[in-house]
Amino acid sequence: TRDKLCGLVKKWQTTIECHTDVKTTDGYVLRVFVIGFTQKNANQLKRHTYAKSTQIKRIRKIMHDTVVHEISGVDLKGTVNKLIPDSIGKDVNKKASAVFPMQDCCVRKVKVIKKPKFDIGKLMDLYADGGAAAASSTFGEKVTR
């Protein structure tokens, strides 16, 4: 939310943002926004932790590659399952820390850019087994009290 994002932004550090368009296996095109912040080293004396522009470009490329690798191999449901525990943000943080120390990397926003065409046959195949199970169960039995 906006409160969390405003709490992450601080002075004396670099904010690195990236947005990527990714296509899932079931045909959805998603625009994923990732954000990350630089971090001080343990024994650092300088007050600020600014990354150089080349480091920012490399970190942005790592963010882009990680998002494409994680999301392009799964469907929309798998993408949601990866977004809930923020595993993509943790992977970005781990990989980008090799270039510059990073903290609070997370997926900020996901937009659906394009939906696949609605296929009624695919929907029927998906729910064919569930419908048969529901029809075979008995409904309306009398409850003894």
Side-chain angles (χ1 to χ4, degrees):
T1 60
R2 187 170 190 268
D3 292 339
K4 175 156 173 64
L5 193 62
C6 290
L8 294 175
V9 177
K10 301 181 203 99
K11 289 171 73 174
W12 315 116
Q13 67 184 6
T14 304
T15 303
I16 303 168
E17 293 181 299
C18 173
H19 58 86
T20 307
D21 290 350
V22 185
K23 188 169 186 176
T24 60
T25 56
D26 53 354
Y28 284 87
V29 178
L30 305 175
R31 183 167 291 152
V32 182
F33 296 86
V34 183
I35 190 168
F37 303 95
T38 57
Q39 180 184 27
K40 279 186 176 181
N41 280 328
N43 55 356
Q44 182 172 330
L45 297 176
K46 281 192 294 186
R47 185 175 179 182
H48 61 80
T49 57
Y50 296 135
K52 296 178 183 177
S53 60
T54 55
Q55 291 170 328
I56 292 172
K57 287 177 187 174
R58 286 175 60 194
I59 290 170
R60 205 172 278 135
K61 174 133 178 59
I62 289 170
M63 287 178 174
H64 170 80
D65 294 342
T66 304
V67 168
V68 168
H69 180 262
E70 292 289 325
I71 294 179
S72 63
V74 294
D75 59 343
L76 189 67
K77 190 173 183 180
T79 302
V80 171
N81 289 338
K82 286 187 177 191
L83 289 173
I84 290 172
D86 200 24
S87 64
I88 296 173
K90 290 175 186 169
D91 289 346
V92 167
N93 196 1
K94 192 185 304 178
K95 291 177 183 176
S97 290
V99 177
F100 198 92
M102 297 290 290
Q103 66 180 356
D104 299 329
C105 292
C106 60
V107 175
R108 182 172 61 93
K109 186 194 300 187
V110 179
K111 289 183 179 179
V112 177
I113 302 297
K114 190 187 255 186
K115 294 180 184 177
K117 282 192 167 184
F118 182 70
D119 186 15
I120 192 73
K122 188 183 264 188
L123 184 70
M124 295 310 258
D125 290 341
L126 203 66
Y127 291 105
D129 298 331
S136 65
S137 64
T138 56
F139 290 105
E141 291 181 6
K142 195 167 197 171
V143 178
T144 57
R145 295 185 183 171

